[in-house]
Amino acid sequence: MRPHLIALAAIAAAGLVLAYAVRDAVVLDLVFTLLLYATLGQSWNWISGYGGNISFGHAIFFGCGAYTSALCVVHGISPWLAIPAGAAVAALLAAITGFPTLALRGHYFSIATIAVAAIVDALVRTQGWLGRANGFELPIAAGWASMQFADKGWYVVLALVLFVAVQCATLALERSRLGYYLRALRANHQAAASVGIDERRWKLIAFAWSAAMAACAGVLYAQYTLFVDPPSTIALSVSIDIALIGVVGGIGTLWGPAAGALVYVVLAKAVALKLGGTGKGYDLVIYGAIICVIAALRPHGIVGTIVDGIRRRRGAAAQPPARLAAEGAA
Amino acid sequence: MSARRVCLAFAAAIAVASMPFASRAADPQEIVIGSILPLTGPSAQTGAGLRTAQTLAADLVNGHVSYPLPMVGKSGLPHLGHARIKLVFADSQGKPDQARAAAEQLITQEHAVALIGTYASSTTATASQVAERYGIPFLNPDSSAPSLTARGLKWFFRTTPNDATFAENFYQFFADLNRTKKIAVKKVAVVGEDGLFGTGAGDAEEEIGKRRGFTIVTRVAYPATTTEVNAEVQKVKAAAPDVVMMASYAPDALLFMRGFKDQGILLQGILAQDAGFIDPGFVKTEGKDAEGVFTREVFSLDIKHRNKAVPLIDQLFRLRFGDKPLDGNTARDIMGVLVLADAIDRAGSTKPDAIRTALQNTNIPGILTLMPWKQIKFDAQGQNVGGVGIIEQIQDGKYETVWPFDVAVKAPIWPMPAWKR
């Protein structure tokens, strides 16, 4: 546990220094995006990595946060209130949708999440008070009360706080009863049920937490981008991005989503900024090739591969992988 | 591969990706304009055309061959010692957050004195907010969501008419028909896909129609990916409108045309917001059934009757873009670059404030543009007040300009012919 906390503290310190010292908007933008996607990936990891129910609809929870934030601003309510409100709405939505779907096995759960996301998407597009397809353009403001800052450093600080909080929560998850149950259910749900683990109950709890964390990221996104509409928040493509981050980094590991976000943001976004102007899509080719290589050669993701390597060196293959994943990455 | 080697390879990849590419310090003789376009993603095809159009416009400004267009053929910007303008492009991927990052990069790293772009209304919304924060002029030549100029931004200027103008044009067309031919249109059905495009257009058509005293008998929204529209067509039939206003992409436009015909709906006119109804496949697939369909456009080569530069610019554009003709999008983007160059030149300075003031004082007569517009002049919100659209009608398998009457080459056929059985 301690090495992880030290690593987190180091990241937090480095992030704070960066937010204070760096004035390059592009670098700060990358750091913010990196932290945001790492948080989103980790929230996905709770239900899909530890719980083993691969979700392709996670963007709707992200969207819950973003839309709550937008609605708050439009109605003159402080966006800070959107953090608890958005998280609560997302958790409720997760509970409602998870109750019938979490019992589905394998691909069926994934298909169900796609269906739920499509329903939410269609709903948002037809509801006037949700802005329909037009979405919301949030007015420019400044200051803490409106959660908007001319200085990007503050956004990085907020994203950092959220990221550290989510990492700590995940660290706690790994040591908690919920975490052990989830991993037991993932490994063999029949064996887990035979010792009295209530699958639906524990997975619902994990799903609700997962959704709430994604919603917090959504609030931050809305206040940063100042534009919320269905394609940029709740669309299937956003859900796939979130899932890819988890898979590329290594599912069911503490540092997997962060590693995945590093690939996604640094390679996809940075290369897009440098090479995107050519209009030849080199950035997408490079990003796609990296995903293919990782998927073909290292299906456990980046962190999973590192963990495997350490395990082989120690000759301790018998130990449970998730625990090692936690230790190995530190 | 051992774990260490994987780590090393990964670290190397990141190092390569974040390496500072050859720095592009602005030459004193070059004024950088940042352009954000959807160069990859679903609108990449359009983005490639816009990129070609803007590059052509920059070359026209920097060149010395003169056409009746603002700032063309003066070997750069005369008030700035004939400095050349240089466009630096960034990709929005059609995504709002990527557009925001692109705007930031162009302002802070490329030191763009002004931004232009971004085609999609959603990406324009985020990119222009970045420009607002940094106090950099943003010229939008091609996004049509009315809300963009309603945000009270100080640094945002839009040359193109927006969806509200297009809707206004439809109703003005009815008024003109009434005035000249005593044709009365009263009941309007509004049909559109449920994305940004259809919703924005439909909202404007509904609101302006009501304001002008028309009856909106039904409003139908459907997902653009739909494969059948029977229920929607029945809803239109039940409402018995005089005309239907459509905002559809190509596949759904065809579905509705077939539905209207199969259910034998009698319409005086179908008025479309281009898109699916000007798709090259539309007339080919519909054949005789396409006859009489009206569509709004922002540009037509028929404008050559007003400005002799149109066919010449069209030729230059074809040479660069695989013989594809100049269209509404590319023509608007050429004008965008010219308007911006004109403002920077009149400002005589690359200071953002000076350029903004020059933009506010822009006054270009419509005859000196590639467009059907009356003039280019911005109101307090940054919207060009002289913008108008064109209405075309499919006659003998061709799109003919029928409105405004001063640019028209054919008289409108009204009502549209009955369905052929």
Side-chain angles (χ1 to χ4, degrees):
Chain A
M1 182 134 181
R2 182 174 291 166
H4 294 301
L5 287 176
I6 294 172
L8 255 184
I11 289 175
L16 286 176
V17 169
L18 209 75
Y20 180 75
V22 173
R23 280 290 146 269
D24 186 332
V26 174
V27 173
L28 289 174
D29 179 69
L30 280 180
V31 175
F32 175 84
T33 315
L34 172 66
L35 291 167
L36 193 78
Y37 279 105
T39 306
L40 278 174
Q42 189 65 278
S43 83
W44 177 87
N45 201 24
W46 272 51
I47 190 65
S48 301
Y50 293 102
N53 286 50
I54 303 296
S55 160
F56 277 117
H58 229 65
I60 57 176
F61 305 122
F62 175 62
C64 270
Y67 269 87
T68 309
S69 188
L71 284 172
C72 278
V73 172
V74 168
H75 292 101
I77 304 166
S78 168
W80 290 98
L81 284 177
I83 293 179
V89 171
L92 192 69
L93 187 63
I96 294 168
T97 57
F99 190 77
T101 57
L102 279 170
L104 298 172
R105 306 248 161 255
H107 307 308
Y108 295 105
F109 176 78
S110 305
I111 293 167
T113 57
I114 294 175
V116 169
I119 292 168
V120 171
D121 189 68
L123 218 67
V124 171
R125 281 171 187 273
T126 51
Q127 296 299 307
W129 64 282
L130 287 174
R132 287 183 297 169
N134 303 343
F136 293 101
E137 284 165 36
L138 307 187
I140 295 181
W144 276 93
S146 53
M147 213 201 278
Q148 281 189 34
F149 313 98
D151 177 1
K152 280 179 169 296
W154 289 115
Y155 284 112
V156 172
V157 171
L158 284 185
L160 195 61
V161 169
L162 186 61
F163 172 72
V164 170
V166 168
Q167 286 298 92
C168 285
T170 311
L171 200 52
L173 174 78
E174 288 199 337
R175 313 274 143 169
S176 72
R177 184 154 61 146
L178 174 61
Y180 288 118
Y181 284 180
L182 283 179
R183 278 171 283 178
L185 285 166
R186 182 186 61 188
N188 187 333
H189 66 95
Q190 279 158 336
S194 72
V195 295
I197 300 174
D198 182 348
E199 179 170 17
R200 181 168 272 162
R201 177 177 167 211
W202 295 105
K203 282 199 171 163
L204 267 181
I205 294 173
F207 201 28
W209 272 108
S210 161
M213 292 187 289
C216 293
V219 173
L220 210 52
Y221 170 87
Q223 293 305 312
Y224 184 69
T225 309
L226 298 180
F227 182 77
V228 175
D229 73 343
S232 60
T233 52
I234 51 181
L236 182 62
S237 61
V238 180
S239 292
I240 290 174
D241 279 349
I242 296 172
L244 263 182
I245 286 165
V247 172
V248 168
I251 66 173
T253 61
L254 177 63
W255 293 99
L262 205 63
V263 173
Y264 176 74
V265 174
V266 174
L267 284 170
K269 303 262 171 190
V271 177
L273 284 178
K274 291 291 178 194
L275 299 178
T278 60
K280 300 212 166 76
Y282 292 137
D283 50 320
L284 300 177
V285 173
I286 293 171
Y287 180 51
I290 285 168
I291 303 247
C292 290
V293 168
I294 291 174
L297 300 180
R298 300 287 155 199
H300 295 141
I302 297 162
V303 172
T305 301
I306 297 170
V307 170
D308 285 349
I310 292 167
R311 193 196 310 166
R312 216 175 298 132
R313 188 155 300 173
R314 285 189 188 164
Q319 289 193 40
R323 191 180 150 77
L324 264 173
E327 283 170 12
Chain B
M1 201 156 40
S2 77
R4 185 186 298 165
R5 258 186 286 160
V6 174
C7 284
L8 279 175
F10 185 56
I14 290 175
V16 169
S18 51
M19 219 161 40
F21 281 57
S23 72
R24 283 173 278 189
D27 190 276
Q29 287 300 301
E30 271 185 347
I31 291 166
V32 174
I33 295 173
S35 171
I36 303 161
L37 292 172
L39 298 170
T40 56
S43 306
Q45 195 83 24
T46 311
L50 300 181
R51 191 174 195 268
T52 308
Q54 292 188 3
T55 310
L56 170 61
D59 291 347
L60 289 170
V61 170
N62 294 334
H64 53 269
V65 183
S66 190
Y67 298 98
L69 291 169
M71 287 316 294
V72 171
K74 297 180 177 165
S75 308
L77 309 180
H79 292 110
L80 283 158
H82 290 281
R84 297 159 60 84
I85 60 168
K86 179 186 169 189
L87 289 166
V88 177
F89 292 95
D91 184 11
S92 73
Q93 299 175 2
K95 296 181 188 165
D97 65 330
Q98 192 64 33
R100 185 186 42 71
E104 213 133 52
Q105 186 230 359
L106 290 172
I107 294 171
T108 62
Q109 300 199 334
E110 304 292 346
H111 306 291
V113 302
L115 297 186
I116 187 167
T118 66
Y119 182 60
S121 292
S122 59
T123 51
T124 300
T126 57
S128 58
Q129 265 169 336
V130 172
E132 188 79 6
R133 277 236 193 265
Y134 284 92
I136 296 287
F138 189 107
L139 190 116
N140 167 236
D142 46 19
S143 302
S144 62
S147 57
L148 288 171
T149 36
R151 296 175 295 171
L153 299 189
K154 273 172 64 188
W155 297 86
F156 184 74
F157 297 87
R158 167 160 65 184
T159 46
T160 185
N162 59 43
D163 288 336
T165 319
F166 296 135
E168 198 77 69
N169 290 162
F170 280 164
Y171 292 108
Q172 188 57 47
F173 175 51
F174 296 154
D176 288 354
L177 281 177
N178 194 349
R179 190 165 44 80
T180 55
K181 295 186 168 182
K182 302 278 171 255
I183 291 165
V185 175
K186 287 195 187 75
K187 294 187 286 179
V188 179
V190 174
V191 180
E193 57 92 35
D194 67 1
L196 187 63
F197 162 58
T199 308
D203 284 354
E205 288 163 356
E206 194 175 342
E207 190 204 314
I208 293 166
K210 279 179 187 158
R211 186 170 6 107
R212 281 183 165 237
F214 290 83
T215 313
I216 309 298
V217 288
T218 185
R219 171 92 189 258
V220 178
Y222 62 90
T225 48
T226 189
T227 51
E228 67 95 22
V229 295
N230 286 332
E232 286 84 352
V233 171
Q234 269 161 16
K235 208 172 157 191
V236 173
K237 187 175 187 180
D242 296 332
V243 298
V244 180
M245 293 189 181
M246 302 281 307
S248 307
Y249 296 112
D252 35 324
L254 296 177
L255 285 175
F256 270 99
M257 288 299 286
R258 193 166 312 147
F260 290 152
K261 181 181 176 182
D262 288 350
Q263 301 204 18
I265 299 179
L266 277 178
L267 294 165
Q268 291 186 30
I270 294 174
L271 290 95
Q273 299 266 5
D274 63 16
F277 291 86
I278 57 160
D279 189 273
F282 183 75
V283 173
K284 215 182 283 172
T285 313
E286 287 293 315
K288 283 276 171 220
D289 289 333
E291 284 298 300
V293 169
F294 294 92
T295 172
R296 63 99 163 153
E297 247 302 1
V298 288
F299 171 80
S300 155
L301 288 172
D302 295 337
I303 311 262
K304 63 176 179 272
H305 300 296
R306 201 170 72 164
N307 188 335
K308 299 273 180 286
V310 173
L312 301 167
I313 302 293
D314 177 51
Q315 279 304 315
L316 290 175
F317 184 75
R318 281 170 192 262
L319 282 175
R320 294 190 182 204
F321 201 55
D323 207 30
K324 294 202 185 90
L326 202 60
D327 61 21
N329 290 328
T330 44
R332 281 186 297 181
D333 271 41
I334 290 178
M335 278 320 297
V337 172
L338 300 185
V339 168
L340 201 49
D342 172 65
I344 297 171
D345 180 55
R346 276 186 293 108
S349 156
T350 53
K351 290 208 172 68
D353 276 309
I355 297 173
R356 176 166 168 260
T357 310
L359 276 168
Q360 284 171 323
N361 295 331
T362 297
N363 191 356
I364 298 170
I367 205 158
L368 287 186
T369 72
L370 296 173
M371 315 307 295
W373 303 342
K374 296 191 190 91
Q375 64 184 136
I376 299 174
K377 191 173 181 177
F378 299 105
D379 64 13
Q381 295 182 314
Q383 172 66 46
N384 174 18
V385 294
V388 282
I390 283 178
I391 295 175
E392 294 183 340
Q393 186 177 32
I394 301 172
Q395 297 183 3
D396 294 327
K398 280 193 299 206
Y399 292 90
E400 305 282 5
T401 304
V402 295
W403 187 92
F405 294 147
D406 65 330
V407 208
V409 291
K410 287 276 170 72
I413 297 171
W414 191 281
M416 65 181 283
W419 302 108
K420 303 274 183 307
R421 282 286 161 188

